[in-house]
Amino acid sequence: MTMARYNAKESEKHWQGVWSGRQSFAASNDSTKPKAYVLEMFPYPSGRIHMGHVRNYTMGDVIARFRKAQGFNVLHPMGWDAFGLPAENAARDKGVNPSDWTYANIAVMREQLKQMGLAIDWSREFATCDVAYYAQQQKLFVDFYEAGLVYRSEADVNWDPVDMTVLANEQVIDGRGWRSGAAVERKKLSQWFFKITAYAQELLDALDHMERWPEKVRLMQKNWIGRSEGLRFSFDVSNGGKLDVFTTRPDTLFGASFAAISPDHPLSERLAKTDKKVAAFIEECRRIGTTEAAIETAEKMGFDTGLTVAHPFDPDWKLPVLIANFVLMGYGTGAIFGCPAHDQRDLDFARKYKLPVLPVVVPEGTDPKTFAVGDEAYVGPGKLANSRFLDGMDVEAAKTEIAKRMEAMGRGTRTIQWRLRDWLVSRQRYWGCPIPMVHCGACGIVPVPKAQLPVELPRDVRFDVPGNPLDAHPTWKHTSCPKCGGKAQRDTDTLDTFVDSSWYFARFADPHADAPVDAKAANYWLPVDQYIGGVEHAILHLLYARFITRGLHKLGYVDVDEPFAGLFTQGMVCHETYKGHNGEWIALDEVEKRDGKAYFKGTDTEVIVGRSEAMSKSKKNGIAPETIIDVYGADTIRWFMLSDSPPERDIEWTDGGAEGCWRFVQRVWRLIDEADALAPVGTKADGASELRRATHRAIAAVTDDVENLRFNRAVAQVYTLAGAIDAKAGAADRREALETLILLIGPMMPHLAESCWQALGHTTLVADTPWPKADPALVKSDTVTIAVQVNGKRRGEITVAADADEASVKDAALKDEGVVRALEGKTPKRIIVVPQRIVNIVA
RNA sequence: GCGGGCGUGGCGGAACGGUAGACGCAACGGACUUAAAAUCCGUAGGGGCGAAAGCCUCGUGCCAGUUCAAGUCUGGCCGCCCGCACCA
């Protein structure tokens, strides 16, 4: 009997139907099994899935299926991060309604994900643009408002002139909008904020306990939160006012040679009103400030205001007050004192403007009289000098002493300064969750009562005029005040889409609940045991989600603070790039490769082969997953995604690699096909044949590798087992080996596994079959072959019993022919025996 | 500038401080075939000795060090990648 070649297309469709019909992957909210919540960052419905999705969802799927096989009650849901600007752009450019466009995209992508054969509980699917979802989000917003975690404030905001909306700090990258790439402008606007800074300390402290998060991500968050301890104090200004400054180095106060304020400091602005030169200087700073990356190399610039401040410990010591472009209004008080000897920026500035440089901290054992600072500020430890009552103290003691005295004088307080600022969530856009607030002339700002929610988006909006479409709508914003019943206006802003994705994982616990989050269900499922996504969300999404979860906890919706117990950030999918001789990107399908060179298809014109880069539209080096699935099937593309490259690193897509995966699919199928005279289903293998050993070693290794997300190694172990299956082995041993092979690839190539399982005579599903268990006795072997070194160089090899005692191992080693030759008759001085590893003879 | 990561065959990559290069891709040789595809078997880091089995030697970016033993640990360089970026 010979079966046909494995038909991936038919088989995959078949098994997808079977799983769906049996609801194989439905999660139970009422189970006695241990739970496992496996989640991948949900996709934006752009229209088609890309290779990045395939890699991400394949990894999650392997974990989900693996956990199910291990007996866990698994939650592995899928949804859509469906609000956002592309829908509005499509509406403007193509005249389609954003909602229609989005749901059409979702329909396509859902089919594509289903074709991947993901073990997802589709009954829990939702999109963030579903009224049912954003209605709950509006309730949450009101809850947060009432809990004091939401406030409205006028502030300098980041304005994206292309997307025509404001952005949160985190969403400005290198002075540009994270989506549009446009240079961000500054505006003063009244906007809604989430009080994320209220949790700054908690968000920081918890990072230390998040062992299953990558160190890198924790560090990025730590830096972003940016805690620094210091002293805030005031100078008396010669104009009779006070100037507040913040410093982390109060110990260097006697080395101060100037005070500097930001061009945006209120004092600068006040001076500008009466002094044209000040105004011109501020103008110049702002111009440079907004011209993008030039900030990097921007020269330090200062302007002497003519004002002075008195040194807090010596009223006769006057320091000039300068406006300096490197002082940021957004951090601390927007004013500093400059101590050039111990701060590089201050030193650069002082050298340029010929200000004194007096060292006040000198390294241990250095004479303060001879210690000089050149072009490099001294920021290391040492003893205080030239500092009156601080002389001789170390830095820490001096900081404390100054702080104590300042506090006693009522001039300063020790404070903690954060880099993190509150999360600006208002967006002047249409396709987002409407902010459920009403502005009443009489009552001020009034939340929409929960009974009146949701505030639904209108369908009839225009996108052919610039500005906020909701604001431009003729009637939508007009409403009555929930409090006094008088005429009032709705808030026409919508929420940042990062709000949508900051609690969806909690909603999945019970996506049909009447409350935003069903406490019982969420407390059962949360935290997410394994979250998988791109490192690009290391700060934005992950920090916001951690904050919102704390808010949910405060409101009693959940008992946890941290939403994601385990986080894994996967690498990108890359491909070689091609360029023409004018530097233009050449699409993959316009290139053909011949004899190691690349040409324009059908011509002899060479194209330049560039390095491998993340697949992207702009570089034209993307491969559409659907074409691969169409040709080879989902299992092949899944296998590719897991093979070779460690999951956290970038993977390079190659045609050869894909073909190799496809060949392996066929090879597995053939192994089953050609396996004649197997023992019947249910036969127990016995004994300790080589094949049985290989089988159980594979179980142990693959289990360990998948457990630790080392999929590339798991794949290699599977290859090794496949190679070990020998037609000459016993019928029972071969059945065991083949069944094991199939169960091990089950999470990785689920369709192929089901087909093979059936071909092996089973009437059950791999999806319902427990994960195999390794017999420890078979994993360990009786004999081991170890190397024997002489003076650290490998000279021979001996095979000894695994439990051989040291004496007999030594004995065997010394008898080895190669060892004898290498010893040249010398007597060993020392023999190191590492059991089951190595013998090293020192002669 | 600061912080983090990485550097191993033609390529992707393996390797609790213990036989470097598992496993795969590409390559080459052979078998099967009228032929091709598919498949199967075999070879394979560099150099040297040998008819062969095999043996010697050099090899994990570079230079030192610790150790019986270093791809792995330590220090210093070089290169690449990522994050933050005048945060006082």
Side-chain angles (χ1 to χ4, degrees), chain A residues 627-663:
Chain A
T627 61
I628 304 298
I629 292 175
D630 204 44
V631 176
Y632 299 111
D635 286 334
T636 297
I637 201 170
R638 291 171 62 119
W639 190 247
F640 187 107
M641 288 302 165
L642 300 167
S643 305
D644 292 349
S645 292
E648 68 279 7
R649 244 186 265 180
D650 289 353
I651 191 171
E652 178 161 2
W653 181 270
T654 61
D655 295 342
E659 274 161 36
C661 292
W662 166 242
R663 277 202 298 273

Side-chain angles (χ1 to χ4, degrees), chain A residues 351-418:
Chain A
R351 292 287 183 225
K352 181 163 175 184
Y353 293 100
K354 309 266 184 293
L355 293 159
V357 178
L358 176 68
V360 289
V361 178
V362 299
E364 197 80 41
T366 309
D367 182 359
K369 291 192 185 72
T370 56
F371 183 76
V373 164
D375 287 333
E376 232 171 274
Y378 179 71
V379 294
K383 291 265 187 256
L384 272 288
N386 303 319
S387 295
R388 307 187 192 185
F389 55 82
L390 298 177
D391 280 355
M393 291 185 187
D394 66 27
V395 168
E396 281 315 306
K399 279 182 181 174
T400 310
E401 181 61 26
I402 286 267
K404 267 197 214 149
R405 290 188 186 224
M406 287 273 198
E407 280 172 344
M409 290 154 71
R411 191 173 269 288
T413 46
R414 275 174 271 206
T415 54
I416 293 157
Q417 188 65 45
W418 302 92

Side-chain angles (χ1 to χ4, degrees), chain A residues 136 140-141 143-144 149 199 502-507 516-517 519 522-523 526 545-561 563:
Chain A
Q136 299 300 333
L140 266 188
F141 187 88
D143 283 339
F144 271 56
L149 291 171
Y199 290 92
S502 293
W503 66 285
Y504 78 109
F505 44 86
R507 184 73 186 162
V517 175
N523 286 329
L526 290 178
R546 295 181 61 215
F547 158 67
I548 292 286
T549 302
R550 280 173 169 72
L552 292 175
H553 190 173
K554 183 177 180 182
L555 292 165
Y557 286 117
V558 296
D559 290 342
V560 297
D561 282 328

Side-chain angles (χ1 to χ4, degrees), chain A residues 754-815:
Chain A
E754 297 290 5
S755 290
C756 292
W757 194 245
Q758 192 180 52
L760 283 169
H762 288 278
T763 51
T764 54
L765 294 184
V766 172
D768 295 328
T769 305
W771 190 251
K773 278 202 171 57
D775 178 349
L778 290 170
V779 174
K780 291 254 174 214
S781 53
D782 304 339
T783 60
V784 284
T785 301
I786 60 175
V788 182
Q789 298 180 330
V790 176
N791 292 329
K793 283 194 175 129
R794 183 182 170 278
R795 297 297 178 184
E797 206 173 71
I798 54 171
T799 301
V800 294
D803 56 359
D805 59 38
E806 199 171 310
S808 62
V809 174
K810 273 185 189 173
D811 197 45
L814 288 168
K815 278 191 195 132

